[in-house]
Amino acid sequence: MKYSKQREQILEYIKSVTSHPTAEIVYTQLRKKIPNISLGTVYRNLDRLSEENNVVRIKFSGAKDRFDGNTNHHYHAVCIKCGEVTDIFIDYFSDIDKKVEKYISSKVISHNTIFNIVCSKCNK
Amino acid sequence: MKYSKQREQILEYIKSVTSHPTAEIVYTQLRKKIPNISLGTVYRNLDRLSEENNVVRIKFSGAKDRFDGNTNHHYHAVCIKCGEVTDIFIDYFSDIDKKVEKYISSKVISHNTIFNIVCSKCNK
DNA sequence: TATAGAAGTAGTAATTATTACTATTTTGAA
DNA sequence: TTCAAAATAGTAATAATTACTACTTCTATA
């Protein structure tokens, strides 16, 4: 993989925030520094960076993909009112994989869980 | 809600299978009975049926939505090789919601979990 | 039973998120 | 320095779904 200024800046931006931005948000933010960067470049690089586990792609059902610079395992919670995504730093629930494995008698590789919450702001 | 032959047939089909079909699969199947049914009608009715909890919409990350005629709570497992979706009839893990609730001190409404597996066919 | 108008449909166009394409530019090993 | 491989900008294409519109079907009521 050859160096590029665009990819460096994309990674730097993703690592600097905890807001789980979409590709489009990354694009509009980076245009402040690299005015003629293209949306395709952002998509392509986020793709490659997540392939190489430098960022995490969070696929939400029915919504744009979001990206997370924190590659340590954690869960995500999404507010059903405002859509904000919060990190949940708790251990991986390996016991539920075992339970399911027993049920289907096939290998369980992993699980993806999103918690639907009402965030403190929206609860007022 | 007014009766329609199309909606009746869509519901009947969904209730008769356990294959978790996509809207498009429902469409191609129903064309055998109602040759000029339109894809938009299938989408609209699956939408309404799931709004009214007569069917369950399963939103997979990065894949087409699938529909399930079984409205009793259960989990789903998807084979990472062939994409087949299997029902997992085990109790809802309410304890993990409580754990997360404690962590974020906001109300947890529910969680959505998909298990990534290798099905028995693909394991050979 | 006839009918009016609300709700539903078929067929098509539009939208949204993402990926693909292409001509040009950048990178880095020799 | 050079030059081919890899990356980019800008645009076109794709895929899933939703929206629109003219026509059809239901069904409550006269």
PDB file of all heavy atoms in Angstrom, chain A residues 2 4 6 37-38 41 44 48, chain D residues 4-11:
ATOM      1  N   LYS A   2       0.605   2.080  -0.973  1.00  0.00           N
ATOM      2  CA  LYS A   2       1.410   3.279  -1.158  1.00  0.00           C
ATOM      3  C   LYS A   2       0.850   4.408  -0.304  1.00  0.00           C
ATOM      4  O   LYS A   2      -0.360   4.504  -0.127  1.00  0.00           O
ATOM      5  CB  LYS A   2       1.345   3.652  -2.643  1.00  0.00           C
ATOM      6  CG  LYS A   2       2.567   4.359  -3.165  1.00  0.00           C
ATOM      7  CD  LYS A   2       2.393   4.660  -4.632  1.00  0.00           C
ATOM      8  CE  LYS A   2       3.065   3.616  -5.495  1.00  0.00           C
ATOM      9  NZ  LYS A   2       3.060   4.014  -6.913  1.00  0.00           N
ATOM     10  N   SER A   4      -0.574   7.935   0.858  1.00  0.00           N
ATOM     11  CA  SER A   4      -1.257   9.080   0.253  1.00  0.00           C
ATOM     12  C   SER A   4      -1.670  10.053   1.346  1.00  0.00           C
ATOM     13  O   SER A   4      -2.066   9.636   2.443  1.00  0.00           O
ATOM     14  CB  SER A   4      -2.465   8.647  -0.586  1.00  0.00           C
ATOM     15  OG  SER A   4      -3.637   8.621   0.181  1.00  0.00           O
ATOM     16  N   GLN A   6      -4.223  11.906   1.398  1.00  0.00           N
ATOM     17  CA  GLN A   6      -5.653  11.792   1.671  1.00  0.00           C
ATOM     18  C   GLN A   6      -5.937  10.718   2.732  1.00  0.00           C
ATOM     19  O   GLN A   6      -6.667  10.947   3.688  1.00  0.00           O
ATOM     20  CB  GLN A   6      -6.405  11.451   0.379  1.00  0.00           C
ATOM     21  CG  GLN A   6      -6.524  12.595  -0.597  1.00  0.00           C
ATOM     22  CD  GLN A   6      -5.293  12.789  -1.470  1.00  0.00           C
ATOM     23  OE1 GLN A   6      -4.213  12.248  -1.184  1.00  0.00           O
ATOM     24  NE2 GLN A   6      -5.427  13.559  -2.530  1.00  0.00           N
ATOM     25  N   ILE A  37     -10.702  17.065  -2.274  1.00  0.00           N
ATOM     26  CA  ILE A  37     -10.775  15.612  -2.032  1.00  0.00           C
ATOM     27  C   ILE A  37     -12.146  15.127  -2.530  1.00  0.00           C
ATOM     28  O   ILE A  37     -13.127  15.877  -2.470  1.00  0.00           O
ATOM     29  CB  ILE A  37     -10.588  15.286  -0.528  1.00  0.00           C
ATOM     30  CG1 ILE A  37     -10.300  13.791  -0.330  1.00  0.00           C
ATOM     31  CG2 ILE A  37     -11.797  15.741   0.290  1.00  0.00           C
ATOM     32  CD1 ILE A  37      -9.887  13.446   1.089  1.00  0.00           C
ATOM     33  N   SER A  38     -12.201  13.922  -3.031  1.00  0.00           N
ATOM     34  CA  SER A  38     -13.487  13.449  -3.548  1.00  0.00           C
ATOM     35  C   SER A  38     -14.108  12.408  -2.625  1.00  0.00           C
ATOM     36  O   SER A  38     -13.414  11.696  -1.896  1.00  0.00           O
ATOM     37  CB  SER A  38     -13.340  12.906  -4.967  1.00  0.00           C
ATOM     38  OG  SER A  38     -12.953  11.559  -4.938  1.00  0.00           O
ATOM     39  N   THR A  41     -12.859   8.904  -2.905  1.00  0.00           N
ATOM     40  CA  THR A  41     -11.587   8.671  -2.218  1.00  0.00           C
ATOM     41  C   THR A  41     -11.822   8.365  -0.748  1.00  0.00           C
ATOM     42  O   THR A  41     -11.190   7.473  -0.182  1.00  0.00           O
ATOM     43  CB  THR A  41     -10.679   9.912  -2.355  1.00  0.00           C
ATOM     44  OG1 THR A  41     -10.390  10.087  -3.744  1.00  0.00           O
ATOM     45  CG2 THR A  41      -9.389   9.759  -1.591  1.00  0.00           C
ATOM     46  N   ARG A  44     -13.301   4.832  -0.560  1.00  0.00           N
ATOM     47  CA  ARG A  44     -12.287   3.822  -0.888  1.00  0.00           C
ATOM     48  C   ARG A  44     -11.304   3.639   0.252  1.00  0.00           C
ATOM     49  O   ARG A  44     -10.974   2.520   0.642  1.00  0.00           O
ATOM     50  CB  ARG A  44     -11.561   4.215  -2.177  1.00  0.00           C
ATOM     51  CG  ARG A  44     -10.500   3.253  -2.632  1.00  0.00           C
ATOM     52  CD  ARG A  44     -10.072   3.499  -4.093  1.00  0.00           C
ATOM     53  NE  ARG A  44     -10.350   4.844  -4.534  1.00  0.00           N
ATOM     54  CZ  ARG A  44      -9.645   5.928  -4.242  1.00  0.00           C
ATOM     55  NH1 ARG A  44      -8.567   5.818  -3.481  1.00  0.00           N
ATOM     56  NH2 ARG A  44      -9.996   7.118  -4.691  1.00  0.00           N
ATOM     57  N   ARG A  48     -10.524   0.471   2.777  1.00  0.00           N
ATOM     58  CA  ARG A  48      -9.225  -0.172   2.936  1.00  0.00           C
ATOM     59  C   ARG A  48      -8.757  -0.138   4.382  1.00  0.00           C
ATOM     60  O   ARG A  48      -8.198  -1.105   4.883  1.00  0.00           O
ATOM     61  CB  ARG A  48      -8.198   0.523   2.041  1.00  0.00           C
ATOM     62  CG  ARG A  48      -8.590   0.472   0.578  1.00  0.00           C
ATOM     63  CD  ARG A  48      -7.443   0.778  -0.300  1.00  0.00           C
ATOM     64  NE  ARG A  48      -6.323  -0.114  -0.027  1.00  0.00           N
ATOM     65  CZ  ARG A  48      -5.138  -0.003  -0.593  1.00  0.00           C
ATOM     66  NH1 ARG A  48      -4.935   0.957  -1.471  1.00  0.00           N
ATOM     67  NH2 ARG A  48      -4.168  -0.822  -0.307  1.00  0.00           N
TER      68      ARG A  48
ATOM     69  P    DA D   4       7.635   2.217 -17.931  1.00  0.00           P
ATOM     70  OP1  DA D   4       8.753   1.531 -18.619  1.00  0.00           O
ATOM     71  OP2  DA D   4       6.706   3.086 -18.690  1.00  0.00           O
ATOM     72  O5'  DA D   4       6.798   1.114 -17.146  1.00  0.00           O
ATOM     73  C5'  DA D   4       7.470   0.301 -16.170  1.00  0.00           C
ATOM     74  C4'  DA D   4       6.680   0.314 -14.878  1.00  0.00           C
ATOM     75  O4'  DA D   4       6.762   1.606 -14.239  1.00  0.00           O
ATOM     76  C3'  DA D   4       5.186   0.028 -15.049  1.00  0.00           C
ATOM     77  O3'  DA D   4       4.796  -0.806 -13.973  1.00  0.00           O
ATOM     78  C2'  DA D   4       4.549   1.400 -14.912  1.00  0.00           C
ATOM     79  C1'  DA D   4       5.463   2.015 -13.864  1.00  0.00           C
ATOM     80  N9   DA D   4       5.442   3.474 -13.816  1.00  0.00           N
ATOM     81  C8   DA D   4       5.325   4.346 -14.858  1.00  0.00           C
ATOM     82  N7   DA D   4       5.343   5.615 -14.489  1.00  0.00           N
ATOM     83  C5   DA D   4       5.494   5.560 -13.113  1.00  0.00           C
ATOM     84  C6   DA D   4       5.602   6.562 -12.136  1.00  0.00           C
ATOM     85  N6   DA D   4       5.564   7.870 -12.401  1.00  0.00           N
ATOM     86  N1   DA D   4       5.743   6.159 -10.853  1.00  0.00           N
ATOM     87  C2   DA D   4       5.786   4.861 -10.582  1.00  0.00           C
ATOM     88  N3   DA D   4       5.695   3.832 -11.412  1.00  0.00           N
ATOM     89  C4   DA D   4       5.557   4.252 -12.678  1.00  0.00           C
ATOM     90  P    DA D   5       3.562  -1.787 -14.067  1.00  0.00           P
ATOM     91  OP1  DA D   5       3.973  -3.106 -14.582  1.00  0.00           O
ATOM     92  OP2  DA D   5       2.508  -1.012 -14.754  1.00  0.00           O
ATOM     93  O5'  DA D   5       3.156  -1.953 -12.529  1.00  0.00           O
ATOM     94  C5'  DA D   5       4.143  -1.832 -11.507  1.00  0.00           C
ATOM     95  C4'  DA D   5       3.550  -1.086 -10.324  1.00  0.00           C
ATOM     96  O4'  DA D   5       3.607   0.347 -10.561  1.00  0.00           O
ATOM     97  C3'  DA D   5       2.085  -1.410 -10.039  1.00  0.00           C
ATOM     98  O3'  DA D   5       1.957  -1.650  -8.646  1.00  0.00           O
ATOM     99  C2'  DA D   5       1.327  -0.162 -10.501  1.00  0.00           C
ATOM    100  C1'  DA D   5       2.352   0.933 -10.268  1.00  0.00           C
ATOM    101  N9   DA D   5       2.216   2.088 -11.155  1.00  0.00           N
ATOM    102  C8   DA D   5       1.996   2.093 -12.505  1.00  0.00           C
ATOM    103  N7   DA D   5       1.935   3.301 -13.032  1.00  0.00           N
ATOM    104  C5   DA D   5       2.146   4.144 -11.945  1.00  0.00           C
ATOM    105  C6   DA D   5       2.215   5.556 -11.839  1.00  0.00           C
ATOM    106  N6   DA D   5       2.067   6.384 -12.882  1.00  0.00           N
ATOM    107  N1   DA D   5       2.431   6.077 -10.622  1.00  0.00           N
ATOM    108  C2   DA D   5       2.570   5.250  -9.575  1.00  0.00           C
ATOM    109  N3   DA D   5       2.533   3.916  -9.548  1.00  0.00           N
ATOM    110  C4   DA D   5       2.319   3.418 -10.787  1.00  0.00           C
ATOM    111  P    DA D   6       0.602  -2.068  -7.980  1.00  0.00           P
ATOM    112  OP1  DA D   6       0.917  -3.016  -6.879  1.00  0.00           O
ATOM    113  OP2  DA D   6      -0.356  -2.436  -9.040  1.00  0.00           O
ATOM    114  O5'  DA D   6       0.107  -0.699  -7.329  1.00  0.00           O
ATOM    115  C5'  DA D   6       0.944  -0.021  -6.394  1.00  0.00           C
ATOM    116  C4'  DA D   6       0.315   1.298  -6.027  1.00  0.00           C
ATOM    117  O4'  DA D   6       0.361   2.205  -7.157  1.00  0.00           O
ATOM    118  C3'  DA D   6      -1.151   1.209  -5.615  1.00  0.00           C
ATOM    119  O3'  DA D   6      -1.317   1.992  -4.450  1.00  0.00           O
ATOM    120  C2'  DA D   6      -1.896   1.790  -6.809  1.00  0.00           C
ATOM    121  C1'  DA D   6      -0.896   2.824  -7.300  1.00  0.00           C
ATOM    122  N9   DA D   6      -1.026   3.233  -8.699  1.00  0.00           N
ATOM    123  C8   DA D   6      -1.245   2.437  -9.792  1.00  0.00           C
ATOM    124  N7   DA D   6      -1.302   3.106 -10.931  1.00  0.00           N
ATOM    125  C5   DA D   6      -1.115   4.421 -10.554  1.00  0.00           C
ATOM    126  C6   DA D   6      -1.077   5.632 -11.289  1.00  0.00           C
ATOM    127  N6   DA D   6      -1.220   5.696 -12.613  1.00  0.00           N
ATOM    128  N1   DA D   6      -0.866   6.775 -10.605  1.00  0.00           N
ATOM    129  C2   DA D   6      -0.716   6.714  -9.275  1.00  0.00           C
ATOM    130  N3   DA D   6      -0.740   5.637  -8.468  1.00  0.00           N
ATOM    131  C4   DA D   6      -0.944   4.521  -9.184  1.00  0.00           C
ATOM    132  P    DA D   7      -2.706   2.114  -3.708  1.00  0.00           P
ATOM    133  OP1  DA D   7      -2.440   1.960  -2.270  1.00  0.00           O
ATOM    134  OP2  DA D   7      -3.708   1.277  -4.401  1.00  0.00           O
ATOM    135  O5'  DA D   7      -3.080   3.641  -3.992  1.00  0.00           O
ATOM    136  C5'  DA D   7      -2.185   4.664  -3.589  1.00  0.00           C
ATOM    137  C4'  DA D   7      -2.758   5.998  -4.018  1.00  0.00           C
ATOM    138  O4'  DA D   7      -2.629   6.112  -5.447  1.00  0.00           O
ATOM    139  C3'  DA D   7      -4.246   6.154  -3.697  1.00  0.00           C
ATOM    140  O3'  DA D   7      -4.457   7.346  -2.956  1.00  0.00           O
ATOM    141  C2'  DA D   7      -4.923   6.182  -5.050  1.00  0.00           C
ATOM    142  C1'  DA D   7      -3.811   6.649  -5.978  1.00  0.00           C
ATOM    143  N9   DA D   7      -3.970   6.134  -7.331  1.00  0.00           N
ATOM    144  C8   DA D   7      -4.092   4.832  -7.716  1.00  0.00           C
ATOM    145  N7   DA D   7      -4.235   4.669  -9.022  1.00  0.00           N
ATOM    146  C5   DA D   7      -4.196   5.960  -9.520  1.00  0.00           C
ATOM    147  C6   DA D   7      -4.294   6.479 -10.826  1.00  0.00           C
ATOM    148  N6   DA D   7      -4.454   5.718 -11.908  1.00  0.00           N
ATOM    149  N1   DA D   7      -4.226   7.822 -10.972  1.00  0.00           N
ATOM    150  C2   DA D   7      -4.061   8.589  -9.887  1.00  0.00           C
ATOM    151  N3   DA D   7      -3.952   8.218  -8.597  1.00  0.00           N
ATOM    152  C4   DA D   7      -4.030   6.880  -8.493  1.00  0.00           C
ATOM    153  P    DT D   8      -5.901   7.823  -2.623  1.00  0.00           P
ATOM    154  OP1  DT D   8      -5.796   8.521  -1.320  1.00  0.00           O
ATOM    155  OP2  DT D   8      -6.874   6.732  -2.831  1.00  0.00           O
ATOM    156  O5'  DT D   8      -6.162   8.923  -3.749  1.00  0.00           O
ATOM    157  C5'  DT D   8      -5.237   9.996  -3.903  1.00  0.00           C
ATOM    158  C4'  DT D   8      -5.750  10.945  -4.960  1.00  0.00           C
ATOM    159  O4'  DT D   8      -5.673  10.283  -6.242  1.00  0.00           O
ATOM    160  C3'  DT D   8      -7.208  11.319  -4.748  1.00  0.00           C
ATOM    161  O3'  DT D   8      -7.353  12.734  -4.644  1.00  0.00           O
ATOM    162  C2'  DT D   8      -7.941  10.774  -5.963  1.00  0.00           C
ATOM    163  C1'  DT D   8      -6.843  10.531  -6.971  1.00  0.00           C
ATOM    164  N1   DT D   8      -7.071   9.332  -7.821  1.00  0.00           N
ATOM    165  C2   DT D   8      -7.179   9.486  -9.184  1.00  0.00           C
ATOM    166  O2   DT D   8      -7.092  10.570  -9.737  1.00  0.00           O
ATOM    167  N3   DT D   8      -7.395   8.333  -9.881  1.00  0.00           N
ATOM    168  C4   DT D   8      -7.518   7.055  -9.361  1.00  0.00           C
ATOM    169  O4   DT D   8      -7.706   6.095 -10.096  1.00  0.00           O
ATOM    170  C5   DT D   8      -7.390   6.958  -7.927  1.00  0.00           C
ATOM    171  C7   DT D   8      -7.508   5.621  -7.256  1.00  0.00           C
ATOM    172  C6   DT D   8      -7.179   8.081  -7.223  1.00  0.00           C
ATOM    173  P    DA D   9      -8.705  13.376  -4.273  1.00  0.00           P
ATOM    174  OP1  DA D   9      -8.430  14.572  -3.450  1.00  0.00           O
ATOM    175  OP2  DA D   9      -9.627  12.341  -3.791  1.00  0.00           O
ATOM    176  O5'  DA D   9      -9.204  13.839  -5.711  1.00  0.00           O
ATOM    177  C5'  DA D   9      -8.466  14.796  -6.455  1.00  0.00           C
ATOM    178  C4'  DA D   9      -9.244  15.187  -7.691  1.00  0.00           C
ATOM    179  O4'  DA D   9      -9.383  14.030  -8.556  1.00  0.00           O
ATOM    180  C3'  DA D   9     -10.668  15.682  -7.430  1.00  0.00           C
ATOM    181  O3'  DA D   9     -10.948  16.743  -8.340  1.00  0.00           O
ATOM    182  C2'  DA D   9     -11.539  14.456  -7.689  1.00  0.00           C
ATOM    183  C1'  DA D   9     -10.748  13.675  -8.725  1.00  0.00           C
ATOM    184  N9   DA D   9     -10.805  12.209  -8.600  1.00  0.00           N
ATOM    185  C8   DA D   9     -10.825  11.474  -7.451  1.00  0.00           C
ATOM    186  N7   DA D   9     -10.842  10.172  -7.643  1.00  0.00           N
ATOM    187  C5   DA D   9     -10.823  10.037  -9.021  1.00  0.00           C
ATOM    188  C6   DA D   9     -10.829   8.912  -9.873  1.00  0.00           C
ATOM    189  N6   DA D   9     -10.838   7.652  -9.435  1.00  0.00           N
ATOM    190  N1   DA D   9     -10.812   9.132 -11.195  1.00  0.00           N
ATOM    191  C2   DA D   9     -10.794  10.394 -11.652  1.00  0.00           C
ATOM    192  N3   DA D   9     -10.777  11.546 -10.950  1.00  0.00           N
ATOM    193  C4   DA D   9     -10.804  11.289  -9.630  1.00  0.00           C
ATOM    194  P    DG D  10     -12.265  17.568  -8.271  1.00  0.00           P
ATOM    195  OP1  DG D  10     -11.992  18.937  -8.744  1.00  0.00           O
ATOM    196  OP2  DG D  10     -12.885  17.336  -6.949  1.00  0.00           O
ATOM    197  O5'  DG D  10     -13.162  16.836  -9.374  1.00  0.00           O
ATOM    198  C5'  DG D  10     -12.668  16.706 -10.706  1.00  0.00           C
ATOM    199  C4'  DG D  10     -13.611  15.825 -11.486  1.00  0.00           C
ATOM    200  O4'  DG D  10     -13.383  14.435 -11.118  1.00  0.00           O
ATOM    201  C3'  DG D  10     -15.093  16.093 -11.202  1.00  0.00           C
ATOM    202  O3'  DG D  10     -15.770  16.242 -12.437  1.00  0.00           O
ATOM    203  C2'  DG D  10     -15.562  14.862 -10.442  1.00  0.00           C
ATOM    204  C1'  DG D  10     -14.630  13.792 -11.003  1.00  0.00           C
ATOM    205  N9   DG D  10     -14.481  12.618 -10.161  1.00  0.00           N
ATOM    206  C8   DG D  10     -14.437  12.559  -8.790  1.00  0.00           C
ATOM    207  N7   DG D  10     -14.293  11.331  -8.326  1.00  0.00           N
ATOM    208  C5   DG D  10     -14.246  10.536  -9.474  1.00  0.00           C
ATOM    209  C6   DG D  10     -14.105   9.131  -9.619  1.00  0.00           C
ATOM    210  O6   DG D  10     -13.993   8.273  -8.745  1.00  0.00           O
ATOM    211  N1   DG D  10     -14.094   8.746 -10.956  1.00  0.00           N
ATOM    212  C2   DG D  10     -14.208   9.608 -12.012  1.00  0.00           C
ATOM    213  N2   DG D  10     -14.176   9.065 -13.231  1.00  0.00           N
ATOM    214  N3   DG D  10     -14.340  10.927 -11.895  1.00  0.00           N
ATOM    215  C4   DG D  10     -14.356  11.314 -10.601  1.00  0.00           C
ATOM    216  P    DT D  11     -17.334  16.615 -12.483  1.00  0.00           P
ATOM    217  OP1  DT D  11     -17.468  17.803 -13.349  1.00  0.00           O
ATOM    218  OP2  DT D  11     -17.872  16.612 -11.107  1.00  0.00           O
ATOM    219  O5'  DT D  11     -17.955  15.367 -13.256  1.00  0.00           O
ATOM    220  C5'  DT D  11     -17.177  14.691 -14.255  1.00  0.00           C
ATOM    221  C4'  DT D  11     -17.692  13.281 -14.394  1.00  0.00           C
ATOM    222  O4'  DT D  11     -17.219  12.452 -13.307  1.00  0.00           O
ATOM    223  C3'  DT D  11     -19.218  13.187 -14.359  1.00  0.00           C
ATOM    224  O3'  DT D  11     -19.663  12.580 -15.562  1.00  0.00           O
ATOM    225  C2'  DT D  11     -19.526  12.323 -13.146  1.00  0.00           C
ATOM    226  C1'  DT D  11     -18.232  11.536 -12.979  1.00  0.00           C
ATOM    227  N1   DT D  11     -17.993  11.042 -11.609  1.00  0.00           N
ATOM    228  C2   DT D  11     -17.766   9.704 -11.416  1.00  0.00           C
ATOM    229  O2   DT D  11     -17.737   8.900 -12.329  1.00  0.00           O
ATOM    230  N3   DT D  11     -17.563   9.316 -10.114  1.00  0.00           N
ATOM    231  C4   DT D  11     -17.574  10.135  -8.998  1.00  0.00           C
ATOM    232  O4   DT D  11     -17.381   9.675  -7.885  1.00  0.00           O
ATOM    233  C5   DT D  11     -17.821  11.539  -9.270  1.00  0.00           C
ATOM    234  C7   DT D  11     -17.855  12.510  -8.122  1.00  0.00           C
ATOM    235  C6   DT D  11     -18.015  11.927 -10.537  1.00  0.00           C
TER     236       DT D  11
END
